[in-house]
Amino acid sequence: MDTFQRLSSTFKRLLEAFLLVMAVVVLNFLLIQLAPGDPVEVIVGEMGGASEELMAQLRAQYGLDRPVIEQLGIYVGKVLTGDLGYSYYFNTPVLDLLLQRVPATVLLVMTALFLSVLVGTIAGAVSAKKPDGIGSHIVTIISLVGYSAPVFWIGMMLIILFASMWPIFPVAGMYSIRRPDGFAYYVDILHHLALPAITLATIYVAFYSRLARTSMIEVLGQDYIRTARAKGLSERKVVWKHGLKNGLIPIVTMVGLQFGQLFAGAVLVETVFNWPGLGRLAYESILRRDYPTLLGILLFSAVLVMIANALTDLAYRWIDPRIRKT
Amino acid sequence: MKHWKSFLAATCLAALGAGSALAQSSVVIGTPGVPRHFNGAIQSGIYTFLPSANIFASPLRYSDSWEPEPYLAESWEVSDDGLTVTLKLKDGVTFHDGEPLTSADVAFSIETIKENHPFKTMLEPVESVDTPDDLTAVINLAHPHPALLLAMSPTLMPIIPEHIYGPDNGPIRENPANLAPVGSGPFKMEEYKQGEFYKLVKNEDFFLEDKPKLDEIYVQIFPDVKSILLALERGDIDMVTFLSSPRDLSRLEENDDLVVESDLGQAIGPINWIAYNTKKEPLNKVEVRQAINYAIDRDFILNVLLQGKAPLASGPIDPGSPLANPDVEGYDLDLEKAAAMLDEAGYPVGDDGMRFTLTGDTTIADEEMGRNVLQYMKAQLKKIGVGLELRLAPDFPTWAKRISNYDFDITIDKVFNWGDPVIGVNRTYVSSNIRPGVIWSNTQQYENPKVDQLLADAATETDPAKRKALYDEFQTIVVDDSPIYFLNVIPYSTVYQKGLTGVPDGIWGAVAPMDDMAWEE
């Protein structure tokens, strides 16, 4: 592949990505318009009533009195210049609001992802060693339950168990409201992180353990594993070094593909645990018809998912040298 | 491994210890609502009023009686003709930024509120405010306006500094100081994290001596009431305001560590009722509306559905108000009478045993005072041959759109008095306020010239006894005409940990200055 070809293929990918993001923006914008009632009604609701004049004033201030197509044009134009608009409800530029919330969501999602891949892979690999053993069946059953239970239900059960009946974890939030100083502050955040991260990780642990199990059973049956065993390598080396490296490939694929879903799960978990991230912001902005905020979050997650997919491609190349050559 | 564990436990304990040491001078309040901003001069609603009444001071304040007390104003005087109100301000009051508070700020605030506040009728008769000297403000009225005294409460008339919110700093709706407010009240805004929490700290230069007693107030925002309850029971938070669910209140009352204060907020006057669309067949006939009232056992709603936690509201004015008239038609349950009235009105029972079918609206979130009431009504109305089809709106804007565009037969509605009837009561009944697309206007489309006249007269009547007589008659007529069947006062309660004292429990409930609040020694 010469340089020109490589450049043009990169350009093509970027163009595709751009068009995709624009499609996300337009589609979301139009979808939101389908919900009955507008933001001004929500604002008036919380004010306990208002006059016609004030409602008209607010609609004019936010440009809601213009035709939908014109509003869309204005919004797309703004997005192209990097302006995500102004939140009707929080009275703040949307970008500021997003940046305030990103760290909390990243912390939660990444912790959950790490936990689920780690625990899931180990459980899967262990059960693959003896596919008909008791351990394998236990893993299968637990993962089935974890995968089918709704994530918010798991969250509420954990709250009832570990925050109410046996109160060792806080019930909500990311830190104690009277924030401790220094190192204790970080311990406090970890303390708050535990339940939501475990909740979000649960379904994915189930998912990854099943994936790892299937993949490892297949890999461990292949010729090169027999060769490795014939060489006299220890079972540990065979499974964890030779086997796992190839067995990981489908998991990495799924991590990339599921990144977006993990975000979707975060909406529920953040709402249940009052975690101050993007997911809860999304939930609040839907309830309040805060279109700019919601669109901003959707746009942001679309971009994030695309970045995750690109990273997945890179990760493939690193794990599997064969892909590098093609 | 063992070391690591004990280290973690030790730090956790240290963190907890630090928390309880601070607890003596600070209070954490849990709330389910996000304030859009903190400037109560241009934004209403309990989530703005609570911080606004603590950050800003107002000319007058009220405790648990309806008699005004001095606050920023040392004295006040209404002229004999009722056309001017003169305020004498306390000397030496400063805003949180150190600038002095003068009569110019009072004039600016009153003009700003008149111009921008959602409650239009509150200051409508104000023509101008004169400022003969720095400490005197004279409010000139187009006609007598007895509602003005209640409107000078911390909830409704925050005095905002002109040098911060004035026109020099751009349009007031976009002023950044709405989120970083500067007032002269007992507490200063220190930090706000949108949608998470805000922190108020003691104003060391507050103009009332030895107040406020607390050093810090945190208001933590939760996504739902259930997690607030859990946090309160665990002691993570110290206080919750505006709790109203009878089920939640019963649960908290059983907790020995908590105090449930329900007898407060009469000026807010939050009333839950059944509203009829009086322009729509068959509800355009007053006999039909009355017949439906007679088919409903209000005592059952109050005592069983609402577990006796919510007081009866027999009419449009909160029963705790001196203007309330309890001697109105009670519509005691009488199914035979109801059926006879419907026969007479020309709606005989059809072959299928039914006369007609109506729709009943509420939002899905409104369970105890909405959905349950409608379910009960459905069963009751069936007994007199009237069908009721429930329409549960998924959220508030969906419901508001339907009701404000008259796309309904019957709806559960909750409307607040907000002080004087002129501010929050008239809007529901005067025919000039039938405005499509505006929720909490006269969405019943009720028209009665006599009522219009009574309310207009009462608005300007300065003699308290005569005024009361006018409102008494108004209440009798409205209950008879029945554009609305009144059910209950929403039992908004403040719940707090034992040991907390001076919690506001006056006529403005929790949306009042918390300058007296403190932990017991």
Side-chain angles (χ1 to χ4, degrees):
Chain A
M1 206 154 65
D2 61 27
T3 319
F4 175 73
Q5 260 182 327
R6 198 170 296 158
L7 272 180
S8 88
S9 95
T10 310
F11 178 74
K12 224 174 110 189
R13 280 200 151 185
L14 280 177
L15 187 74
E16 271 173 19
F18 173 76
L19 289 177
L20 203 63
V21 169
M22 279 299 126
V24 166
V25 168
V26 172
L27 200 72
N28 283 330
F29 188 90
L30 295 175
L31 270 178
I32 284 173
Q33 301 293 330
L34 293 178
D38 71 3
V40 171
E41 257 148 6
V42 179
I43 293 170
V44 168
E46 304 224 338
M47 292 199 297
S51 63
E52 243 168 332
E53 297 80 20
L54 181 61
M55 288 175 79
Q57 247 180 47
L58 286 172
R59 288 205 172 96
Q61 187 187 338
Y62 299 135
L64 293 166
D65 50 349
R66 302 170 199 235
V68 173
I69 291 299
E70 200 183 323
Q71 288 183 44
L72 175 63
I74 294 173
Y75 184 73
V76 171
K78 273 190 181 168
V79 167
L80 288 177
T81 59
D83 176 5
L84 291 182
Y86 195 80
S87 161
Y88 311 140
Y89 198 82
F90 294 95
N91 263 295
T92 310
V94 170
L95 193 62
D96 293 0
L97 212 50
L98 292 190
L99 292 178
Q100 258 185 40
R101 298 297 188 101
V102 168
T105 296
V106 169
L107 177 66
L108 174 64
V109 169
M110 285 309 184
T111 311
L113 191 68
F114 177 74
L115 270 181
S116 58
V117 170
L118 185 75
V119 177
T121 310
I122 293 174
V126 167
S127 67
K129 277 178 16 181
K130 274 190 190 151
D132 288 321
I134 288 245
S136 171
H137 287 301
I138 292 176
V139 168
T140 310
I141 290 170
I142 290 180
S143 57
L144 201 66
V145 172
Y147 195 62
S148 16
V151 59
F152 62 87
W153 182 82
I154 296 178
M156 291 194 292
M157 288 304 120
L158 288 181
I159 289 181
I160 291 175
L161 284 176
F162 298 110
S164 182
M165 287 169 68
W166 194 38
I168 49 170
F169 286 107
V171 58
M174 185 170 155
Y175 38 75
S176 305
I177 189 88
R178 302 176 176 108
R179 280 161 295 176
D181 293 324
F183 185 68
Y185 175 65
Y186 297 98
V187 174
D188 187 49
I189 289 184
L190 283 180
H191 193 204
H192 282 77
L193 177 64
L195 289 187
I198 290 172
T199 306
L200 189 55
T202 308
I203 29 173
Y204 297 99
V205 165
F207 188 82
Y208 289 120
S209 69
R210 288 172 65 80
L211 198 66
R213 183 174 175 268
T214 322
S215 161
M216 285 298 280
I217 288 175
E218 195 194 316
V219 169
L220 290 181
Q222 281 181 6
D223 290 346
Y224 79 94
I225 294 291
R226 203 176 311 138
T227 315
R229 285 204 173 111
K231 273 201 302 192
L233 289 180
S234 69
E235 187 62 14
R236 188 195 273 183
K237 255 193 170 164
V238 169
V239 173
W240 297 108
K241 192 154 180 240
H242 292 248
L244 194 61
K245 207 165 176 193
N246 276 319
L248 268 181
I249 291 180
I251 293 186
V252 172
T253 318
M254 288 321 289
V255 167
L257 286 177
Q258 287 216 310
F259 199 70
Q261 278 190 36
L262 208 58
F263 249 102
V267 174
L268 294 172
V269 173
E270 286 182 6
T271 306
V272 170
F273 286 96
N274 198 13
W275 190 260
L278 288 174
R280 205 186 122 203
L281 190 64
Y283 172 76
E284 278 168 353
S285 48
I286 292 170
L287 283 188
R288 276 145 188 163
R289 301 286 192 275
D290 193 351
Y291 305 154
T293 308
L294 185 59
L295 282 170
I297 295 169
L298 292 172
L299 180 66
F300 184 82
S301 11
V303 171
L304 215 61
V305 168
M306 267 184 262
I307 293 175
N309 286 352
L311 289 178
T312 317
D313 275 1
L314 284 179
Y316 274 168
R317 284 157 200 249
W318 175 66
I319 294 180
D320 189 346
R322 283 170 305 180
I323 300 175
R324 250 177 271 170
K325 294 204 179 90
T326 50
Chain B
M1 187 69 187
K2 261 196 179 145
H3 288 291
W4 180 80
K5 261 189 183 164
S6 54
F7 173 68
L8 189 68
T11 30
C12 283
L13 281 176
L16 289 172
S20 51
L22 279 171
Q24 291 311 307
S25 55
S26 70
V27 161
V28 180
I29 303 174
T31 173
V34 180
R36 287 191 69 231
H37 58 70
F38 303 97
N39 186 351
I42 59 170
Q43 167 88 21
S44 50
I46 52 176
Y47 302 126
T48 291
F49 284 156
L50 190 144
S52 176
N54 281 287
I55 294 162
F56 300 98
S58 57
L60 307 176
R61 68 190 287 180
Y62 291 78
S63 53
D64 46 11
S65 90
W66 294 73
E67 292 302 316
E69 292 168 6
Y71 198 24
L72 277 175
E74 237 165 27
S75 67
W76 56 98
E77 205 188 306
V78 185
S79 65
D80 289 340
D81 58 5
L83 292 179
T84 56
V85 177
T86 307
L87 302 176
K88 288 273 178 220
L89 300 178
K90 280 205 173 79
D91 198 3
V93 177
T94 57
F95 286 109
H96 298 158
D97 62 356
E99 296 288 319
L101 185 150
T102 68
S103 55
D105 295 303
V106 174
F108 167 73
S109 303
I110 291 179
E111 279 152 20
T112 304
I113 294 168
K114 183 187 170 179
E115 193 70 31
N116 295 284
H117 200 281
F119 301 165
K120 266 266 161 290
T121 51
M122 189 164 78
L123 296 181
E124 209 156 38
V126 173
E127 284 195 321
S128 62
V129 182
D130 296 334
T131 51
D133 63 62
D134 273 0
L135 298 178
T136 311
V138 182
I139 305 168
N140 300 306
L141 301 165
H143 54 73
H145 185 49
L148 183 62
L149 285 182
L150 262 177
M152 288 198 273
S153 306
T155 316
L156 299 175
M157 196 182 281
I159 299 306
I160 57 175
E162 187 173 14
H163 66 275
I164 304 260
Y165 295 97
D168 294 348
N169 298 317
I172 188 154
R173 277 188 199 294
E174 284 151 40
N175 194 315
N178 293 336
L179 283 175
V182 177
S184 60
F187 292 94
K188 301 192 279 190
M189 172 62 72
E190 180 167 283
E191 187 184 4
Y192 177 40
K193 270 209 154 170
Q194 257 104 343
E196 281 187 60
F197 73 92
Y198 55 86
K199 180 180 177 187
L200 305 175
V201 294
K202 180 178 189 166
N203 172 12
E204 301 284 354
D205 303 317
F206 187 50
F207 57 88
L208 294 182
E209 227 166 290
D210 299 328
K211 288 182 179 181
K213 294 178 178 166
L214 286 174
D215 293 322
E216 293 169 339
I217 295 178
Y218 294 89
V219 179
Q220 190 177 6
I221 298 159
F222 290 79
D224 65 282
V225 177
K226 291 282 169 280
S227 43
I228 296 183
L229 295 185
L230 203 52
L232 186 69
E233 285 167 342
R234 285 168 45 107
D236 294 348
I237 57 177
D238 305 312
M239 179 172 157
V240 182
T241 58
F242 291 96
L243 268 185
S244 66
S245 145
R247 202 168 40 205
D248 292 346
L249 292 175
S250 302
R251 167 173 150 190
L252 295 175
E253 270 168 9
E254 282 167 20
N255 189 325
D256 291 336
D257 300 329
L258 300 173
V259 180
V260 178
E261 178 61 72
S262 298
D263 185 20
L264 48 88
Q266 293 82 2
I268 300 171
I271 302 178
N272 185 44
W273 65 48
I274 298 164
Y276 300 113
N277 186 347
T278 66
K279 284 278 160 25
K280 207 168 161 196
E281 265 251 37
L283 295 169
N284 54 352
K285 290 209 170 102
V286 60
E287 299 80 17
V288 174
R289 304 195 294 263
Q290 289 172 339
I292 293 175
N293 299 351
Y294 280 118
I296 305 167
D297 185 1
R298 194 159 52 183
D299 288 339
F300 178 84
I301 294 179
L302 292 173
N303 296 328
V304 180
L305 294 184
L306 303 180
Q307 302 174 26
K309 297 277 179 245
L312 166 73
S314 50
I317 298 178
D318 189 290
S321 161
L323 294 171
N325 177 6
D327 301 321
V328 291
E329 173 64 53
Y331 296 105
D332 294 332
L333 177 69
D334 191 337
L335 289 174
E336 275 167 41
K337 187 172 180 179
M341 287 176 85
L342 289 177
D343 286 337
E344 214 165 296
Y347 296 99
V349 180
D351 297 337
D352 57 351
M354 299 301 274
R355 301 170 198 268
F356 51 80
T357 296
L358 303 168
T359 55
D361 281 89
T362 187
T363 58
I364 205 150
D366 181 21
E367 194 190 334
E368 285 168 281
M369 282 176 229
R371 203 173 356 140
N372 291 356
V373 172
L374 286 177
Q375 292 283 12
Y376 164 72
M377 268 180 86
K378 182 180 177 150
Q380 283 300 104
L381 293 185
K382 204 169 170 214
K383 294 179 188 164
I384 56 165
V386 173
L388 186 68
E389 222 171 77
L390 265 59
R391 289 198 306 185
L392 302 178
D395 53 18
F396 173 79
T398 310
W399 173 83
K401 186 122 226 152
R402 279 178 190 158
I403 306 310
S404 65
N405 291 298
Y406 317 126
D407 168 27
F408 75 102
D409 294 325
I410 293 178
T411 184
I412 297 287
D413 200 355
K414 293 164 181 54
V415 182
F416 295 14
N417 285 178
W418 290 129
D420 193 273
V422 168
I423 303 171
V425 175
N426 293 13
R427 55 180 174 165
T428 314
Y429 310 95
V430 293
S431 60
S432 57
N433 201 31
I434 302 178
R435 298 172 190 272
V438 182
I439 194 64
W440 299 321
S441 58
N442 181 351
T443 45
Q444 293 67 236
Q445 308 182 73
Y446 170 63
E447 276 180 271
N448 184 338
K450 177 77 185 162
V451 163
D452 288 349
Q453 191 55 50
L454 283 170
L455 288 178
D457 291 347
T460 59
E461 178 56 64
T462 47
D463 181 278
K466 285 186 193 159
R467 194 162 191 248
K468 163 97 170 99
L470 291 169
Y471 279 123
D472 279 352
E473 195 182 349
F474 149 75
Q475 289 167 82
T476 308
I477 295 177
V478 161
V479 173
D480 284 343
D481 281 352
S482 192
I484 284 164
Y485 186 42
F486 302 94
L487 296 178
N488 63 286
V489 179
I490 302 171
Y492 280 132
S493 307
T494 301
V495 185
Y496 52 92
Q497 306 286 353
K498 274 211 175 112
L500 193 58
T501 61
V503 176
D505 60 355
I507 61 167
W508 285 107
V511 289
M514 299 181 176
D515 52 350
D516 220 16
M517 216 154 83
W519 290 102
E520 247 165 32
E521 293 296 319

